[in-house]
PDB file of all heavy atoms in Angstrom:
ATOM      1  N   ASN A 491     114.196 100.608  92.425  1.00 98.00           N
ATOM      2  CA  ASN A 491     113.217 101.434  91.771  1.00 98.00           C
ATOM      3  C   ASN A 491     113.134 102.715  92.563  1.00 98.00           C
ATOM      4  O   ASN A 491     112.582 102.770  93.667  1.00 98.00           O
ATOM      5  CB  ASN A 491     111.824 100.712  91.731  1.00 98.00           C
ATOM      6  CG  ASN A 491     110.877 101.457  90.836  1.00 98.00           C
ATOM      7  OD1 ASN A 491     110.549 102.594  91.059  1.00 98.00           O
ATOM      8  ND2 ASN A 491     110.391 100.782  89.794  1.00 98.00           N
ATOM      9  N   ALA A 492     113.731 103.738  91.990  1.00 98.00           N
ATOM     10  CA  ALA A 492     113.885 105.036  92.723  1.00 98.00           C
ATOM     11  C   ALA A 492     112.539 105.781  92.794  1.00 98.00           C
ATOM     12  O   ALA A 492     111.653 105.613  91.973  1.00 98.00           O
ATOM     13  CB  ALA A 492     114.923 105.867  92.007  1.00 98.00           C
ATOM     14  N   HIS A 493     112.477 106.607  93.851  1.00 98.00           N
ATOM     15  CA  HIS A 493     111.318 107.528  93.902  1.00 98.00           C
ATOM     16  C   HIS A 493     111.339 108.441  92.631  1.00 98.00           C
ATOM     17  O   HIS A 493     110.307 108.626  92.012  1.00 98.00           O
ATOM     18  CB  HIS A 493     111.374 108.416  95.177  1.00 98.00           C
ATOM     19  CG  HIS A 493     110.163 109.214  95.393  1.00 98.00           C
ATOM     20  ND1 HIS A 493     108.891 108.689  95.428  1.00 98.00           N
ATOM     21  CD2 HIS A 493     110.023 110.569  95.626  1.00 98.00           C
ATOM     22  CE1 HIS A 493     108.034 109.632  95.661  1.00 98.00           C
ATOM     23  NE2 HIS A 493     108.672 110.793  95.765  1.00 98.00           N
ATOM     24  N   GLY A 494     112.506 108.940  92.296  1.00 97.00           N
ATOM     25  CA  GLY A 494     112.785 109.578  90.974  1.00 97.00           C
ATOM     26  C   GLY A 494     111.636 110.334  90.358  1.00 97.00           C
ATOM     27  O   GLY A 494     111.111 110.007  89.293  1.00 97.00           O
ATOM     28  N   THR A 495     111.302 111.486  90.957  1.00 98.00           N
ATOM     29  CA  THR A 495     110.085 112.198  90.542  1.00 98.00           C
ATOM     30  C   THR A 495     110.296 113.095  89.318  1.00 98.00           C
ATOM     31  O   THR A 495     109.328 113.578  88.766  1.00 98.00           O
ATOM     32  CB  THR A 495     109.577 113.095  91.674  1.00 98.00           C
ATOM     33  OG1 THR A 495     110.621 113.978  92.082  1.00 98.00           O
ATOM     34  CG2 THR A 495     109.103 112.238  92.831  1.00 98.00           C
ATOM     35  N   SER A 496     111.506 113.395  88.927  1.00 98.00           N
ATOM     36  CA  SER A 496     111.818 114.307  87.855  1.00 98.00           C
ATOM     37  C   SER A 496     111.795 115.776  88.336  1.00 98.00           C
ATOM     38  O   SER A 496     111.720 116.708  87.544  1.00 98.00           O
ATOM     39  CB  SER A 496     110.868 114.166  86.646  1.00 98.00           C
ATOM     40  OG  SER A 496     111.252 114.949  85.579  1.00 98.00           O
ATOM     41  N   THR A 497     111.896 115.953  89.650  1.00 96.00           N
ATOM     42  CA  THR A 497     112.040 117.297  90.222  1.00 96.00           C
ATOM     43  C   THR A 497     113.525 117.539  90.521  1.00 96.00           C
ATOM     44  O   THR A 497     114.238 116.604  90.904  1.00 96.00           O
ATOM     45  CB  THR A 497     111.196 117.483  91.497  1.00 96.00           C
ATOM     46  OG1 THR A 497     111.585 116.499  92.433  1.00 96.00           O
ATOM     47  CG2 THR A 497     109.718 117.346  91.191  1.00 96.00           C
ATOM     48  N   PRO A 498     113.935 118.807  90.446  1.00 91.00           N
ATOM     49  CA  PRO A 498     115.373 119.081  90.720  1.00 91.00           C
ATOM     50  C   PRO A 498     115.887 118.580  92.074  1.00 91.00           C
ATOM     51  O   PRO A 498     116.935 117.971  92.187  1.00 91.00           O
ATOM     52  CB  PRO A 498     115.457 120.606  90.582  1.00 91.00           C
ATOM     53  CG  PRO A 498     114.357 120.938  89.632  1.00 91.00           C
ATOM     54  CD  PRO A 498     113.239 119.971  89.957  1.00 91.00           C
ATOM     55  N   PHE A 499     115.075 118.840  93.126  1.00 91.00           N
ATOM     56  CA  PHE A 499     115.565 118.504  94.461  1.00 91.00           C
ATOM     57  C   PHE A 499     115.565 117.009  94.698  1.00 91.00           C
ATOM     58  O   PHE A 499     116.490 116.432  95.253  1.00 91.00           O
ATOM     59  CB  PHE A 499     114.722 119.235  95.515  1.00 91.00           C
ATOM     60  CG  PHE A 499     114.921 120.707  95.546  1.00 91.00           C
ATOM     61  CD1 PHE A 499     113.927 121.586  95.272  1.00 91.00           C
ATOM     62  CD2 PHE A 499     116.198 121.209  95.872  1.00 91.00           C
ATOM     63  CE1 PHE A 499     114.108 122.940  95.304  1.00 91.00           C
ATOM     64  CE2 PHE A 499     116.397 122.593  95.953  1.00 91.00           C
ATOM     65  CZ  PHE A 499     115.378 123.449  95.606  1.00 91.00           C
ATOM     66  N   ASN A 500     114.421 116.298  94.359  1.00 94.00           N
ATOM     67  CA  ASN A 500     114.335 114.883  94.727  1.00 94.00           C
ATOM     68  C   ASN A 500     115.428 114.059  94.045  1.00 94.00           C
ATOM     69  O   ASN A 500     116.079 113.287  94.730  1.00 94.00           O
ATOM     70  CB  ASN A 500     112.993 114.329  94.309  1.00 94.00           C
ATOM     71  CG  ASN A 500     112.926 112.849  94.520  1.00 94.00           C
ATOM     72  OD1 ASN A 500     112.619 112.309  95.574  1.00 94.00           O
ATOM     73  ND2 ASN A 500     113.303 112.057  93.492  1.00 94.00           N
ATOM     74  N   ASP A 501     115.606 114.219  92.772  1.00 96.00           N
ATOM     75  CA  ASP A 501     116.478 113.306  92.049  1.00 96.00           C
ATOM     76  C   ASP A 501     117.979 113.464  92.513  1.00 96.00           C
ATOM     77  O   ASP A 501     118.669 112.483  92.715  1.00 96.00           O
ATOM     78  CB  ASP A 501     116.438 113.580  90.525  1.00 96.00           C
ATOM     79  CG  ASP A 501     115.066 113.301  89.980  1.00 96.00           C
ATOM     80  OD1 ASP A 501     114.160 112.935  90.746  1.00 96.00           O
ATOM     81  OD2 ASP A 501     114.895 113.491  88.787  1.00 96.00           O
ATOM     82  N   ARG A 502     118.352 114.693  92.796  1.00 95.00           N
ATOM     83  CA  ARG A 502     119.702 114.870  93.289  1.00 95.00           C
ATOM     84  C   ARG A 502     119.851 114.324  94.682  1.00 95.00           C
ATOM     85  O   ARG A 502     120.816 113.616  95.011  1.00 95.00           O
ATOM     86  CB  ARG A 502     120.054 116.401  93.277  1.00 95.00           C
ATOM     87  CG  ARG A 502     121.426 116.713  93.783  1.00 95.00           C
ATOM     88  CD  ARG A 502     121.710 118.236  93.789  1.00 95.00           C
ATOM     89  NE  ARG A 502     122.973 118.536  94.324  1.00 95.00           N
ATOM     90  CZ  ARG A 502     123.223 118.659  95.628  1.00 95.00           C
ATOM     91  NH1 ARG A 502     122.286 118.534  96.513  1.00 95.00           N
ATOM     92  NH2 ARG A 502     124.468 118.976  96.073  1.00 95.00           N
ATOM     93  N   GLY A 503     118.882 114.651  95.614  1.00 95.00           N
ATOM     94  CA  GLY A 503     118.979 114.182  96.978  1.00 95.00           C
ATOM     95  C   GLY A 503     118.933 112.656  97.081  1.00 95.00           C
ATOM     96  O   GLY A 503     119.652 112.087  97.887  1.00 95.00           O
ATOM     97  N   GLU A 504     118.087 112.028  96.259  1.00 97.00           N
ATOM     98  CA  GLU A 504     117.958 110.560  96.352  1.00 97.00           C
ATOM     99  C   GLU A 504     119.261 109.912  95.835  1.00 97.00           C
ATOM    100  O   GLU A 504     119.748 108.976  96.354  1.00 97.00           O
ATOM    101  CB  GLU A 504     116.782 110.091  95.519  1.00 97.00           C
ATOM    102  CG  GLU A 504     116.549 108.605  95.646  1.00 97.00           C
ATOM    103  CD  GLU A 504     115.269 108.100  94.946  1.00 97.00           C
ATOM    104  OE1 GLU A 504     114.657 108.912  94.196  1.00 97.00           O
ATOM    105  OE2 GLU A 504     114.904 106.918  95.173  1.00 97.00           O
ATOM    106  N   SER A 505     119.847 110.502  94.775  1.00 97.00           N
ATOM    107  CA  SER A 505     121.081 109.967  94.238  1.00 97.00           C
ATOM    108  C   SER A 505     122.215 110.091  95.290  1.00 97.00           C
ATOM    109  O   SER A 505     123.014 109.130  95.465  1.00 97.00           O
ATOM    110  CB  SER A 505     121.508 110.750  92.988  1.00 97.00           C
ATOM    111  OG  SER A 505     120.575 110.536  91.939  1.00 97.00           O
ATOM    112  N   ILE A 506     122.277 111.195  95.998  1.00 96.00           N
ATOM    113  CA  ILE A 506     123.266 111.359  97.073  1.00 96.00           C
ATOM    114  C   ILE A 506     123.067 110.333  98.141  1.00 96.00           C
ATOM    115  O   ILE A 506     123.989 109.670  98.651  1.00 96.00           O
ATOM    116  CB  ILE A 506     123.184 112.789  97.674  1.00 96.00           C
ATOM    117  CG1 ILE A 506     123.719 113.827  96.658  1.00 96.00           C
ATOM    118  CG2 ILE A 506     124.020 112.890  98.952  1.00 96.00           C
ATOM    119  CD1 ILE A 506     123.439 115.254  97.014  1.00 96.00           C
ATOM    120  N   ALA A 507     121.765 110.130  98.533  1.00 97.00           N
ATOM    121  CA  ALA A 507     121.439 109.191  99.624  1.00 97.00           C
ATOM    122  C   ALA A 507     121.814 107.733  99.246  1.00 97.00           C
ATOM    123  O   ALA A 507     122.427 107.004 100.032  1.00 97.00           O
ATOM    124  CB  ALA A 507     119.952 109.266  99.914  1.00 97.00           C
ATOM    125  N   ILE A 508     121.525 107.347  98.003  1.00 98.00           N
ATOM    126  CA  ILE A 508     121.880 106.000  97.533  1.00 98.00           C
ATOM    127  C   ILE A 508     123.379 105.840  97.540  1.00 98.00           C
ATOM    128  O   ILE A 508     123.917 104.785  97.968  1.00 98.00           O
ATOM    129  CB  ILE A 508     121.285 105.769  96.146  1.00 98.00           C
ATOM    130  CG1 ILE A 508     119.736 105.642  96.227  1.00 98.00           C
ATOM    131  CG2 ILE A 508     121.871 104.450  95.513  1.00 98.00           C
ATOM    132  CD1 ILE A 508     119.052 105.627  94.846  1.00 98.00           C
ATOM    133  N   THR A 509     124.095 106.810  97.048  1.00 97.00           N
ATOM    134  CA  THR A 509     125.560 106.753  96.998  1.00 97.00           C
ATOM    135  C   THR A 509     126.130 106.600  98.375  1.00 97.00           C
ATOM    136  O   THR A 509     127.096 105.762  98.587  1.00 97.00           O
ATOM    137  CB  THR A 509     126.124 107.995  96.342  1.00 97.00           C
ATOM    138  OG1 THR A 509     125.576 108.097  94.966  1.00 97.00           O
ATOM    139  CG2 THR A 509     127.654 107.933  96.247  1.00 97.00           C
ATOM    140  N   GLU A 510     125.614 107.284  99.356  1.00 97.00           N
ATOM    141  CA  GLU A 510     126.164 107.215 100.724  1.00 97.00           C
ATOM    142  C   GLU A 510     125.779 105.904 101.417  1.00 97.00           C
ATOM    143  O   GLU A 510     126.618 105.320 102.078  1.00 97.00           O
ATOM    144  CB  GLU A 510     125.691 108.419 101.518  1.00 97.00           C
ATOM    145  CG  GLU A 510     126.328 109.721 101.097  1.00 97.00           C
ATOM    146  CD  GLU A 510     126.172 110.806 102.079  1.00 97.00           C
ATOM    147  OE1 GLU A 510     125.949 110.528 103.283  1.00 97.00           O
ATOM    148  OE2 GLU A 510     126.260 112.006 101.671  1.00 97.00           O
ATOM    149  N   VAL A 511     124.597 105.423 101.201  1.00 98.00           N
ATOM    150  CA  VAL A 511     124.176 104.166 101.833  1.00 98.00           C
ATOM    151  C   VAL A 511     124.915 102.974 101.236  1.00 98.00           C
ATOM    152  O   VAL A 511     125.315 102.100 101.968  1.00 98.00           O
ATOM    153  CB  VAL A 511     122.650 103.954 101.699  1.00 98.00           C
ATOM    154  CG1 VAL A 511     122.196 102.551 102.161  1.00 98.00           C
ATOM    155  CG2 VAL A 511     121.897 105.000 102.563  1.00 98.00           C
ATOM    156  N   PHE A 512     125.096 102.992  99.950  1.00 98.00           N
ATOM    157  CA  PHE A 512     125.637 101.780  99.282  1.00 98.00           C
ATOM    158  C   PHE A 512     127.131 101.869  98.988  1.00 98.00           C
ATOM    159  O   PHE A 512     127.753 100.888  98.588  1.00 98.00           O
ATOM    160  CB  PHE A 512     124.826 101.508  97.994  1.00 98.00           C
ATOM    161  CG  PHE A 512     123.460 101.008  98.269  1.00 98.00           C
ATOM    162  CD1 PHE A 512     122.414 101.921  98.378  1.00 98.00           C
ATOM    163  CD2 PHE A 512     123.192  99.677  98.441  1.00 98.00           C
ATOM    164  CE1 PHE A 512     121.095 101.495  98.664  1.00 98.00           C
ATOM    165  CE2 PHE A 512     121.916  99.215  98.757  1.00 98.00           C
ATOM    166  CZ  PHE A 512     120.861 100.160  98.873  1.00 98.00           C
ATOM    167  N   GLY A 513     127.722 103.030  99.160  1.00 97.00           N
ATOM    168  CA  GLY A 513     129.164 103.150  99.025  1.00 97.00           C
ATOM    169  C   GLY A 513     129.642 102.741  97.622  1.00 97.00           C
ATOM    170  O   GLY A 513     129.057 103.069  96.602  1.00 97.00           O
ATOM    171  N   GLU A 514     130.737 101.976  97.618  1.00 97.00           N
ATOM    172  CA  GLU A 514     131.289 101.508  96.324  1.00 97.00           C
ATOM    173  C   GLU A 514     130.283 100.635  95.521  1.00 97.00           C
ATOM    174  O   GLU A 514     130.324 100.600  94.265  1.00 97.00           O
ATOM    175  CB  GLU A 514     132.572 100.727  96.558  1.00 97.00           C
ATOM    176  CG  GLU A 514     133.762 101.610  96.861  1.00 97.00           C
ATOM    177  CD  GLU A 514     134.127 102.516  95.695  1.00 97.00           C
ATOM    178  OE1 GLU A 514     134.259 102.054  94.533  1.00 97.00           O
ATOM    179  OE2 GLU A 514     134.229 103.754  95.938  1.00 97.00           O
TER     180      GLU A 514
END
Side-chain angles (χ1 to χ4, degrees):
N491 190 299
H493 188 54
T495 56
S496 185
T497 57
F499 290 117
N500 174 88
D501 296 1
R502 179 180 177 276
E504 186 174 10
S505 296
I506 290 170
I508 291 170
T509 300
E510 291 196 20
V511 169
F512 290 90
E514 282 299 308

